[in-house]
Amino acid sequence: ERINTKENKDRNDKKGVIVNLNYSLSRQVHLFAKFGQQDDNRDVRHYQDMDRSTVIGLLIDAPFKRRPLDALGFALERGELTGNHRKAHERGYQSFFNRSSGIGSGNYKPETVAECFYRYQWDPHFQISLDYQWIHHFNYDRNRADAHFVGSRLHLDF
């Protein structure tokens, strides 16, 4: 079966749905969950690879008494390819970020991401966050080693 990536590459009518739930266990502890699904008929070269995403997480405000504006967060995500994207991936198609290099058919596996972050609030106008992500079955490949990412974010209000 041929993968059609040309006929729809210039249309901008990608559709999807997202459901986001938040629940506070206390003033400091919050649970969240998110489910997202987008259509998979678009050109695989122009959009993110993930078609279906399920996330659950925990956010803790003021994890330390002396740091009332700081936050600590944890999340677990399962990302999946569906339809056209999955077919292209299993055939070794090079994605937008060229991550699929060397992936052949039969290696597909949903991707699992575990993430944690700490947000340090210096004052009401300045914060910095440190983030760590562990990705199992990176790029939806059961044969690829786990990936680890460390990042930071600087936020200024003025």
Side-chain angles (χ1 to χ4, degrees), residues 8-125:
N8 62 2
K9 72 179 179 180
D10 294 321
R11 290 188 0 230
N12 293 318
D13 60 350
K14 189 157 182 72
K15 295 176 176 77
V17 65
I18 188 166
V19 177
N20 192 6
L21 304 171
N22 295 289
Y23 182 75
S24 294
L25 296 173
S26 70
R27 290 176 63 145
Q28 289 181 281
V29 180
H30 315 281
L31 296 175
F32 61 90
K34 180 177 78 170
F35 173 79
Q37 172 77 45
Q38 58 187 355
D39 72 47
D40 55 15
N41 295 319
R42 297 283 293 144
D43 185 347
V44 296
R45 295 172 290 186
H46 297 296
Y47 289 89
Q48 70 180 38
D49 291 332
M50 189 180 298
D51 297 315
R52 183 180 302 133
S53 172
T54 306
V55 180
I56 58 170
L58 177 72
L59 179 66
I60 303 168
D61 290 326
F64 305 109
K65 286 185 181 184
R66 294 183 179 204
R67 305 283 326 146
L69 298 176
D70 289 5
L72 179 63
F74 304 93
L76 188 61
E77 177 181 28
R78 178 182 170 99
E80 299 175 77
L81 301 179
T82 61
N84 205 32
H85 288 150
R86 184 166 173 177
K87 288 176 198 171
H89 184 278
E90 288 188 347
R91 291 186 175 106
Y93 183 81
Q94 301 285 320
S95 71
F96 177 77
F97 294 105
N98 199 25
R99 296 186 310 165
S100 298
S101 186
I103 295 173
S105 68
N107 293 339
Y108 173 80
K109 188 82 171 178
E111 193 175 79
T112 302
V113 180
E115 178 176 10
C116 64
F117 79 90
Y118 187 82
R119 183 187 71 219
Y120 179 81
Q121 186 84 33
W122 181 269
D123 65 30
H125 305 287

